[in-house]
Structure formats: structure tokens, C-alpha cells
Amino acid sequence: MVTALAAPADPLTALRAEFGTAAGYLAACTAGLPMRATRRAVTADLEGHPDIAGYSRAVEASRASFASLVGVDAASVAIGSQTSVQLSLLIAALPAEATVLVPEHEFSSLVLPFVHAGRGIRIRTAPLSRLADAISEEIDLVAFSLVQSACGHVADLDVICDAAGAVGARVVCDATQAVGWMPVDAARVDALLCHAYKWLCCPRGVAFMALSADYARSLTPVQAGWYAGEDPWSSCYGADAELAASARRFDVSPAWQAFVGAEPALRAFARVGMHQVHAHVTGLAASFRSQTGLDDPETPTAIVTWVDPDGADLARLQEAGITASGRNGRARVAFHVFNDDDDVERAVAALGR
């Protein structure tokens, strides 16, 4: 008797299985859920002896997986712990009295480092939908989130990049709310920042910065430490260390356990086709909008928000055992790979729509 072999699970199904039950969790835009593989990796590390060489392997594997996710070479990716810290490195390279354009209601971590940089740096704002129209020859740098945290709107990356390119302005894109559910092309911008604890489901403290070669040459590694050396283990003492020729010269010393947990998560997301993930999550979001009478956005997005000034709708969701969030006077739900149609129906029922 010949036993038929079970067909291997498709990559999305395999990825979803890594999360187990996630019923009612609609908050990937706030923080992702840890995978089983992440839990195992962190637990094993904490129960054993520190493995310094193993930590370095986890960092480099994480860097490579992230680079694959955003379509660039690993040599162009620097590691960090927070996007605001990495942004500060970019700001240090701006000339005095530079003019920076950001969207209105942009997330503070992408705005406050410019506001408090001093040196006469000026900030201008425009609605995200008209950001490209506001790019003039006076603008030195444009900084924006690819997906807006407060409302979930997706920026028109190509239009913004084309407008910036026409006047020679640098483009800095925060993709924290994008990488992990939609295709992202880091090669389109001068710098792409991403903290991986949201849609990439990593422990907090794992961030990446992808730099174009031209932009990297203009930056000074003002945060250089031992891990920025060409050979970190020979850069531990003194002032003679040779910094890495790649974007690693902008690395900060990694949070070891965070990268131990991040490595299997990033590897899993890098293996699945992001177009498949995008179709899954935006399909759930569209179903939720349809059943609650909300308008579809111009560009499909996994984040759904609506006006909720008194927090009543958010309270209804929470009372029904649904983890959601409220931002800037709006209720907010997010659909990720671990969500399904049951999550949509549960949220719709909780709102009584």
C-alpha cells in the first residue's frame, strides 16, 4: 500500500501556524505577536550560557533577512535599536538652516529629532496626500512614514520620490508600519528606517536602516562604537579601530537577546511572498470596512481607522475582549497574518454595526 504524502503547506499557511491562536488581537500596528520560534529561541538563550559568537550570527542573519524583505543588499543595512536614534545620525549630516518637509500629524519619532536638532533647521508640513506638491527647491530633505500610524494611509512613494529627485532633495522613509505586510522597495529612497517590533513581530529593540551608497558616503558615523568596526572583536579598545566599509559602520551595539528572538521571525517573513501577505491582510481590512460602512482608502491598507473622539467604539471593542487602539481621536484596528475572518466578524459584532 502506498501512502500519499501530505502536500507541504504554502508559505503563508506555514507563517500563520507560527502564531497559534491570536483571536481578537487587532493591534499589530502597536506591537506584533511573538512567534513560537521566537519564544523558543529566547527561552533557550536565557536557560543556557551566553553565546557571544551566536549573538553575532543572529545579528547578521537578521540583517540579511531584512535586506531581502526590502530588496537591497545586506551591506547597505545598518542595525540599531530605535528609529529616532538612527534618524538623529541622518540629521547630523544636514547643513545648518536646512529645510525639512514632513507630513502633518506624522509620528513624533520622525519629527521631534528635526524639531530639536538646533542649527537653524526648519520644519515645514503638508498633508500626506499633497506632500509631493509641497516639495520645492527650498526643501533639502523629505521625511515621511510609508504607512501613517494614526490613520493607516499609504504614501505614494513613487510620486514623492520623483518630486524630490527633481529638486535634489533627500528622501527618508520610515517603513515601520509597512514592512511585514506589504512589498517595500528600499532602493527607491536615500534612507529607509524600520523598527521591527510591529509587523515583523520581533522583540522591541531591533531596528534597521537601509542606505543608498551615495547617501551613506555623505554621513558621519557619529555613533560609532566597537560594533561599527570592520572586525568588531578587534575594535574593542583604543582609537585605532578601522570602521566597516559597509553600512555596518553605522551599527550600534546590538541588544543580544532581542536579535536572538528577531532572527527566526525575520527569516520566516523573508520566506513568504509579501504580495500574498498583502492580499490576505488588506482583504480582511476591506471586509471589515464593508461590514461597518467605512469608505475604502485610495490605496489598500491593513490598518483601519475611523473617527472616535470620545473613545466609545474603542471601549466597545475592548469590552468584547478585542485588543485594539486609539490614536489622534480615532479608533484603530489592524489585520495581520495571524488574523482571519473570525476576527473581522467579532469586531463587527462588538461595534454593533
Side-chain angles (χ1 to χ4, degrees), residues 277-296:
V277 174
H278 180 269
H280 174 77
V281 301
T282 57
L284 294 175
S287 177
F288 176 81
R289 290 190 195 91
S290 175
Q291 295 184 59
T292 53
L294 297 172
D295 293 334
D296 289 327

PDB file of all heavy atoms in Angstrom, residues 277-296:
ATOM      1  N   VAL A 277       0.953  38.052   1.517  1.00  0.00           N
ATOM      2  CA  VAL A 277       0.590  38.632   2.812  1.00  0.00           C
ATOM      3  C   VAL A 277      -0.285  39.864   2.607  1.00  0.00           C
ATOM      4  O   VAL A 277      -1.306  40.044   3.280  1.00  0.00           O
ATOM      5  CB  VAL A 277       1.855  38.998   3.613  1.00  0.00           C
ATOM      6  CG1 VAL A 277       1.472  39.733   4.905  1.00  0.00           C
ATOM      7  CG2 VAL A 277       2.670  37.765   3.930  1.00  0.00           C
ATOM      8  N   HIS A 278       0.104  40.713   1.672  1.00  0.00           N
ATOM      9  CA  HIS A 278      -0.648  41.929   1.397  1.00  0.00           C
ATOM     10  C   HIS A 278      -2.087  41.619   1.010  1.00  0.00           C
ATOM     11  O   HIS A 278      -3.031  42.269   1.493  1.00  0.00           O
ATOM     12  CB  HIS A 278       0.057  42.694   0.264  1.00  0.00           C
ATOM     13  CG  HIS A 278      -0.613  43.972  -0.131  1.00  0.00           C
ATOM     14  ND1 HIS A 278      -1.562  44.046  -1.133  1.00  0.00           N
ATOM     15  CD2 HIS A 278      -0.474  45.237   0.344  1.00  0.00           C
ATOM     16  CE1 HIS A 278      -1.974  45.285  -1.258  1.00  0.00           C
ATOM     17  NE2 HIS A 278      -1.330  46.042  -0.384  1.00  0.00           N
ATOM     18  N   ALA A 279      -2.274  40.630   0.169  1.00  0.00           N
ATOM     19  CA  ALA A 279      -3.626  40.259  -0.254  1.00  0.00           C
ATOM     20  C   ALA A 279      -4.451  39.765   0.932  1.00  0.00           C
ATOM     21  O   ALA A 279      -5.642  40.090   1.058  1.00  0.00           O
ATOM     22  CB  ALA A 279      -3.555  39.194  -1.343  1.00  0.00           C
ATOM     23  N   HIS A 280      -3.830  38.993   1.817  1.00  0.00           N
ATOM     24  CA  HIS A 280      -4.542  38.455   2.977  1.00  0.00           C
ATOM     25  C   HIS A 280      -4.995  39.567   3.910  1.00  0.00           C
ATOM     26  O   HIS A 280      -6.173  39.648   4.282  1.00  0.00           O
ATOM     27  CB  HIS A 280      -3.641  37.465   3.723  1.00  0.00           C
ATOM     28  CG  HIS A 280      -4.212  36.961   5.011  1.00  0.00           C
ATOM     29  ND1 HIS A 280      -5.200  35.997   5.063  1.00  0.00           N
ATOM     30  CD2 HIS A 280      -3.934  37.294   6.303  1.00  0.00           C
ATOM     31  CE1 HIS A 280      -5.521  35.750   6.310  1.00  0.00           C
ATOM     32  NE2 HIS A 280      -4.761  36.524   7.092  1.00  0.00           N
ATOM     33  N   VAL A 281      -4.075  40.441   4.290  1.00  0.00           N
ATOM     34  CA  VAL A 281      -4.394  41.436   5.317  1.00  0.00           C
ATOM     35  C   VAL A 281      -5.292  42.542   4.781  1.00  0.00           C
ATOM     36  O   VAL A 281      -6.208  42.999   5.483  1.00  0.00           O
ATOM     37  CB  VAL A 281      -3.114  42.023   5.942  1.00  0.00           C
ATOM     38  CG1 VAL A 281      -2.276  40.923   6.579  1.00  0.00           C
ATOM     39  CG2 VAL A 281      -2.270  42.799   4.931  1.00  0.00           C
ATOM     40  N   THR A 282      -5.072  42.981   3.547  1.00  0.00           N
ATOM     41  CA  THR A 282      -5.937  44.025   3.008  1.00  0.00           C
ATOM     42  C   THR A 282      -7.322  43.482   2.686  1.00  0.00           C
ATOM     43  O   THR A 282      -8.304  44.229   2.729  1.00  0.00           O
ATOM     44  CB  THR A 282      -5.323  44.671   1.756  1.00  0.00           C
ATOM     45  OG1 THR A 282      -5.076  43.664   0.766  1.00  0.00           O
ATOM     46  CG2 THR A 282      -4.015  45.384   2.099  1.00  0.00           C
ATOM     47  N   GLY A 283      -7.401  42.175   2.389  1.00  0.00           N
ATOM     48  CA  GLY A 283      -8.712  41.563   2.185  1.00  0.00           C
ATOM     49  C   GLY A 283      -9.527  41.564   3.467  1.00  0.00           C
ATOM     50  O   GLY A 283     -10.737  41.864   3.444  1.00  0.00           O
ATOM     51  N   LEU A 284      -8.889  41.250   4.591  1.00  0.00           N
ATOM     52  CA  LEU A 284      -9.590  41.298   5.879  1.00  0.00           C
ATOM     53  C   LEU A 284     -10.012  42.723   6.210  1.00  0.00           C
ATOM     54  O   LEU A 284     -11.135  42.965   6.672  1.00  0.00           O
ATOM     55  CB  LEU A 284      -8.688  40.747   6.983  1.00  0.00           C
ATOM     56  CG  LEU A 284      -8.338  39.258   6.909  1.00  0.00           C
ATOM     57  CD1 LEU A 284      -7.339  38.897   8.009  1.00  0.00           C
ATOM     58  CD2 LEU A 284      -9.591  38.389   7.031  1.00  0.00           C
ATOM     59  N   ALA A 285      -9.116  43.675   5.975  1.00  0.00           N
ATOM     60  CA  ALA A 285      -9.431  45.072   6.262  1.00  0.00           C
ATOM     61  C   ALA A 285     -10.590  45.559   5.401  1.00  0.00           C
ATOM     62  O   ALA A 285     -11.478  46.283   5.879  1.00  0.00           O
ATOM     63  CB  ALA A 285      -8.195  45.942   6.035  1.00  0.00           C
ATOM     64  N   ALA A 286     -10.610  45.170   4.134  1.00  0.00           N
ATOM     65  CA  ALA A 286     -11.688  45.576   3.233  1.00  0.00           C
ATOM     66  C   ALA A 286     -13.020  44.984   3.676  1.00  0.00           C
ATOM     67  O   ALA A 286     -14.062  45.644   3.610  1.00  0.00           O
ATOM     68  CB  ALA A 286     -11.357  45.148   1.805  1.00  0.00           C
ATOM     69  N   SER A 287     -12.987  43.734   4.135  1.00  0.00           N
ATOM     70  CA  SER A 287     -14.209  43.101   4.633  1.00  0.00           C
ATOM     71  C   SER A 287     -14.739  43.836   5.855  1.00  0.00           C
ATOM     72  O   SER A 287     -15.950  44.074   5.992  1.00  0.00           O
ATOM     73  CB  SER A 287     -13.925  41.634   4.973  1.00  0.00           C
ATOM     74  OG  SER A 287     -15.068  41.014   5.531  1.00  0.00           O
ATOM     75  N   PHE A 288     -13.849  44.234   6.744  1.00  0.00           N
ATOM     76  CA  PHE A 288     -14.269  44.968   7.939  1.00  0.00           C
ATOM     77  C   PHE A 288     -14.892  46.309   7.548  1.00  0.00           C
ATOM     78  O   PHE A 288     -15.939  46.697   8.079  1.00  0.00           O
ATOM     79  CB  PHE A 288     -13.062  45.186   8.863  1.00  0.00           C
ATOM     80  CG  PHE A 288     -13.360  46.011  10.072  1.00  0.00           C
ATOM     81  CD1 PHE A 288     -13.957  45.446  11.191  1.00  0.00           C
ATOM     82  CD2 PHE A 288     -13.057  47.373  10.099  1.00  0.00           C
ATOM     83  CE1 PHE A 288     -14.237  46.211  12.318  1.00  0.00           C
ATOM     84  CE2 PHE A 288     -13.338  48.141  11.212  1.00  0.00           C
ATOM     85  CZ  PHE A 288     -13.928  47.564  12.326  1.00  0.00           C
ATOM     86  N   ARG A 289     -14.256  47.011   6.618  1.00  0.00           N
ATOM     87  CA  ARG A 289     -14.808  48.303   6.189  1.00  0.00           C
ATOM     88  C   ARG A 289     -16.184  48.123   5.559  1.00  0.00           C
ATOM     89  O   ARG A 289     -17.104  48.914   5.810  1.00  0.00           O
ATOM     90  CB  ARG A 289     -13.875  48.971   5.184  1.00  0.00           C
ATOM     91  CG  ARG A 289     -12.569  49.475   5.766  1.00  0.00           C
ATOM     92  CD  ARG A 289     -11.816  50.342   4.758  1.00  0.00           C
ATOM     93  NE  ARG A 289     -10.433  50.532   5.174  1.00  0.00           N
ATOM     94  CZ  ARG A 289      -9.425  49.755   4.818  1.00  0.00           C
ATOM     95  NH1 ARG A 289      -9.649  48.731   4.000  1.00  0.00           N
ATOM     96  NH2 ARG A 289      -8.210  49.988   5.248  1.00  0.00           N
ATOM     97  N   SER A 290     -16.317  47.112   4.720  1.00  0.00           N
ATOM     98  CA  SER A 290     -17.594  46.882   4.044  1.00  0.00           C
ATOM     99  C   SER A 290     -18.714  46.624   5.047  1.00  0.00           C
ATOM    100  O   SER A 290     -19.826  47.158   4.913  1.00  0.00           O
ATOM    101  CB  SER A 290     -17.448  45.695   3.087  1.00  0.00           C
ATOM    102  OG  SER A 290     -18.690  45.358   2.504  1.00  0.00           O
ATOM    103  N   GLN A 291     -18.421  45.829   6.071  1.00  0.00           N
ATOM    104  CA  GLN A 291     -19.455  45.460   7.041  1.00  0.00           C
ATOM    105  C   GLN A 291     -19.754  46.561   8.055  1.00  0.00           C
ATOM    106  O   GLN A 291     -20.779  46.514   8.732  1.00  0.00           O
ATOM    107  CB  GLN A 291     -19.035  44.185   7.767  1.00  0.00           C
ATOM    108  CG  GLN A 291     -18.957  42.970   6.864  1.00  0.00           C
ATOM    109  CD  GLN A 291     -18.640  41.703   7.621  1.00  0.00           C
ATOM    110  OE1 GLN A 291     -19.378  41.305   8.534  1.00  0.00           O
ATOM    111  NE2 GLN A 291     -17.534  41.059   7.265  1.00  0.00           N
ATOM    112  N   THR A 292     -18.863  47.533   8.162  1.00  0.00           N
ATOM    113  CA  THR A 292     -19.089  48.631   9.111  1.00  0.00           C
ATOM    114  C   THR A 292     -19.418  49.944   8.415  1.00  0.00           C
ATOM    115  O   THR A 292     -19.566  50.971   9.073  1.00  0.00           O
ATOM    116  CB  THR A 292     -17.854  48.834  10.007  1.00  0.00           C
ATOM    117  OG1 THR A 292     -16.685  48.985   9.189  1.00  0.00           O
ATOM    118  CG2 THR A 292     -17.667  47.655  10.948  1.00  0.00           C
ATOM    119  N   GLY A 293     -19.529  49.913   7.090  1.00  0.00           N
ATOM    120  CA  GLY A 293     -19.922  51.111   6.351  1.00  0.00           C
ATOM    121  C   GLY A 293     -18.828  52.144   6.211  1.00  0.00           C
ATOM    122  O   GLY A 293     -19.124  53.320   5.947  1.00  0.00           O
ATOM    123  N   LEU A 294     -17.575  51.741   6.340  1.00  0.00           N
ATOM    124  CA  LEU A 294     -16.465  52.671   6.196  1.00  0.00           C
ATOM    125  C   LEU A 294     -16.008  52.718   4.740  1.00  0.00           C
ATOM    126  O   LEU A 294     -16.052  51.713   4.033  1.00  0.00           O
ATOM    127  CB  LEU A 294     -15.295  52.254   7.089  1.00  0.00           C
ATOM    128  CG  LEU A 294     -15.559  52.261   8.597  1.00  0.00           C
ATOM    129  CD1 LEU A 294     -14.381  51.640   9.345  1.00  0.00           C
ATOM    130  CD2 LEU A 294     -15.822  53.677   9.078  1.00  0.00           C
ATOM    131  N   ASP A 295     -15.567  53.872   4.309  1.00  0.00           N
ATOM    132  CA  ASP A 295     -15.108  54.037   2.931  1.00  0.00           C
ATOM    133  C   ASP A 295     -13.758  53.352   2.730  1.00  0.00           C
ATOM    134  O   ASP A 295     -12.916  53.315   3.637  1.00  0.00           O
ATOM    135  CB  ASP A 295     -14.967  55.516   2.581  1.00  0.00           C
ATOM    136  CG  ASP A 295     -16.308  56.240   2.554  1.00  0.00           C
ATOM    137  OD1 ASP A 295     -17.333  55.565   2.311  1.00  0.00           O
ATOM    138  OD2 ASP A 295     -16.322  57.463   2.789  1.00  0.00           O
ATOM    139  N   ASP A 296     -13.561  52.838   1.525  1.00  0.00           N
ATOM    140  CA  ASP A 296     -12.263  52.260   1.172  1.00  0.00           C
ATOM    141  C   ASP A 296     -11.258  53.375   0.899  1.00  0.00           C
ATOM    142  O   ASP A 296     -11.607  54.398   0.291  1.00  0.00           O
ATOM    143  CB  ASP A 296     -12.385  51.380  -0.073  1.00  0.00           C
ATOM    144  CG  ASP A 296     -13.140  50.095   0.202  1.00  0.00           C
ATOM    145  OD1 ASP A 296     -13.027  49.582   1.324  1.00  0.00           O
ATOM    146  OD2 ASP A 296     -13.835  49.610  -0.718  1.00  0.00           O
TER     147      ASP A 296
END
